[in-house]
Amino acid sequence: MENAAQQTEIKNIALLVLPQVQLLDVAGPCDVFTAANLFSPDDKTGLKYQVHLISGTSDKIIYSSSGIPLPCTHTIYDIDFPVDTFLVAGTDLRTLDNINPDLYAYLQNVIGRIRRIGSVCVGAFVLAKAGLLKGKQVTTHWKYADMLQRMYPDLEVNVNPFFIQDQGIYTSGGVSSGIDLALALLEEDFGKPIASEVAKHLVLHLKRPGVQSQFGNAVSDYEMLSSFTKEIRDLLKDKLSQAISIEFMAESVHMSVRNFSRVFLKESGMTPGKFLEKMRLDQAKNMLEYTDMSIDMIAEKCGFSTVVSLRRLFLKYLSISPAQYRKTCNGTK
């Protein structure tokens, strides 16, 4: 009877590992769950979680992006234990093109038998391709959020949170955000006191301040833009201090405003006005981070009539003020 009681304490955590996985995508959540066992109120076993690395291929040795091999206890073809929580770790996006369809079939078959399923970083792309994220609000690495939204328009991609829970599906942002998610899952299972102890033990915030998007660009990296969007970006990049209208953009590419707006939305996933707004935000962030220019001057250089307008933009997208952003980046006041 005692052994049966002890066994019920075990929650099996399955971490799916794919070739070229980033180590922190796996190691971060692993350390949170295993550290939780140190603070178990059960003096007899000290066990709450058992973490299993699961290969998404038929091979049990998976090589990470840094070349370090990760030995997996199981593959998706031979899992022989009840899974409580299944997390898909991220990998290089190019790796996703070579994933065996068996993985998606496995995820579709087990979704009803697993209490929680989630992703770390670009692992959200795996869940999306398996059809598990339809109609849900999700997040992923800030760099690939626009791509995820374009590829799966039925999702609501929110780049700000470090993690999101929607109807039992959990997605987290870039790399270290898997730690934020794991701490949240721990708190959900065993309460805030143990989650706080684990966070302190790992020298982490239980709830990290700020938002994920403050670490990246509001506009996708240049190489990820379509040729049409690149053309507009190149047109605007040296004119951000000026008043820029949609009419000006449309005339510059010899299109009507209506047709330009339609094409731009299709190519970029956002309106021309929002794209311009995000370009100005990125320029302001760079100036705050890499120059000593006053915030008033930065507001002017980025096309804002007042600092108040710049502040509103930062609060809208980053939930912090320009002054707070500068202090966070370089420790200045």
Side-chain angles (χ1 to χ4, degrees):
M1 292 296 293
E2 182 179 350
N3 288 337
Q6 291 176 1
Q7 193 68 21
T8 60
E9 292 294 320
I10 299 175
K11 294 182 183 295
N12 288 305
I13 308 293
L15 274 165
L16 182 75
V17 182
L18 295 168
Q20 295 302 304
V21 66
Q22 293 193 79
L23 287 176
L24 191 56
D25 279 16
V26 176
C30 277
D31 280 346
V32 170
F33 292 124
T34 54
N37 296 334
L38 300 174
F39 300 96
S40 171
D42 187 341
D43 295 332
K44 294 180 180 179
T45 65
L47 182 62
K48 288 174 182 285
Y49 294 113
Q50 187 164 339
V51 180
H52 307 263
L53 297 190
I54 309 298
S55 170
T57 75
S58 58
D59 298 320
K60 285 192 174 180
I61 301 294
I62 299 295
Y63 285 87
S64 68
S65 60
S66 59
I68 296 176
L70 293 174
C72 298
T73 58
H74 297 77
T75 74
I76 56 170
Y77 301 101
D78 58 23
I79 296 177
D80 57 359
F81 56 86
V83 177
D84 175 82
T85 301
F86 193 99
L87 297 178
V88 181
T91 182
D92 188 304
L93 280 179
R94 290 168 294 187
T95 300
L96 300 183
D97 295 332
N98 300 316
I99 289 179
N100 192 305
D102 288 352
L103 172 59
Y104 303 114
Y106 170 80
L107 293 173
Q108 291 161 0
N109 289 333
V110 302
I111 183 65
R113 304 197 302 270
I114 294 177
R115 182 168 69 97
R116 295 183 302 208
I117 191 164
S119 62
V120 180
C121 199
V122 299
F125 284 78
V126 176
L127 297 184
K129 190 167 182 177
L132 305 187
L133 301 183
K134 288 181 179 178
K136 291 182 172 58
Q137 184 177 145
V138 303
T139 193
T140 188
H141 192 293
W142 58 264
K143 186 175 183 179
Y144 305 109
D146 288 343
M147 178 187 292
L148 182 63
Q149 186 67 82
R150 287 196 301 271
M151 290 177 65
Y152 302 96
D154 55 342
L155 310 184
E156 182 184 343
V157 181
N158 185 347
V159 72
N160 278 330
F162 291 109
F163 64 88
I164 290 176
Q165 187 271 128
D166 190 347
Q167 301 176 44
I169 302 287
Y170 299 74
T171 52
S172 59
V175 194
S176 64
S177 299
I179 298 174
D180 300 279
L181 174 58
L183 285 169
L185 297 178
L186 170 59
E187 182 176 350
E188 184 179 286
D189 287 343
F190 299 109
K192 188 172 182 178
I194 287 182
S196 295
E197 288 296 324
V198 170
K200 291 175 185 176
H201 176 72
L202 298 175
V203 198
L204 298 166
H205 290 288
L206 178 58
K207 297 189 187 301
R208 196 181 345 178
V211 293
Q212 183 195 187
S213 54
Q214 75 188 58
F215 295 98
N217 296 326
V219 174
S220 298
D221 288 354
Y222 190 76
E223 65 270 15
M224 297 180 67
L225 300 176
S226 71
S227 58
F228 182 76
T229 311
K230 287 178 181 176
E231 183 179 358
I232 300 303
R233 178 193 174 280
D234 291 341
L235 169 71
L236 302 179
K237 65 180 181 180
D238 297 324
K239 299 180 174 63
L240 295 179
S241 62
Q242 306 171 18
I244 300 172
S245 66
I246 296 179
E247 287 78 9
F248 167 76
M249 296 186 216
E251 289 174 4
S252 298
V253 289
H254 311 291
M255 298 172 70
S256 68
V257 170
R258 182 177 179 180
N259 190 39
F260 172 77
S261 298
R262 179 185 61 80
V263 173
F264 192 87
L265 180 61
K266 181 180 179 181
E267 292 285 329
S268 70
M270 67 186 85
T271 64
K274 188 173 183 179
F275 186 80
L276 175 60
E277 190 175 65
K278 287 189 171 186
M279 283 191 67
R280 284 175 163 150
L281 174 63
D282 283 339
Q283 178 164 295
K285 287 171 62 180
N286 287 334
M287 289 181 170
L288 287 165
E289 190 167 351
Y290 298 113
T291 76
D292 295 325
M293 197 178 296
S294 71
I295 295 178
D296 293 81
M297 181 62 71
I298 290 173
E300 181 180 336
K301 292 284 187 181
C302 294
F304 297 100
S305 56
T306 66
V307 174
V308 173
S309 298
L310 179 63
R311 177 183 172 84
R312 286 174 180 163
L313 185 69
F314 268 72
L315 292 175
K316 174 182 177 180
Y317 285 105
L318 306 181
S319 300
I320 57 175
S321 69
Q324 289 171 320
Y325 180 82
R326 171 169 271 174
K327 187 174 182 180
T328 298
C329 291
N330 52 36
T332 60
K333 296 183 179 181

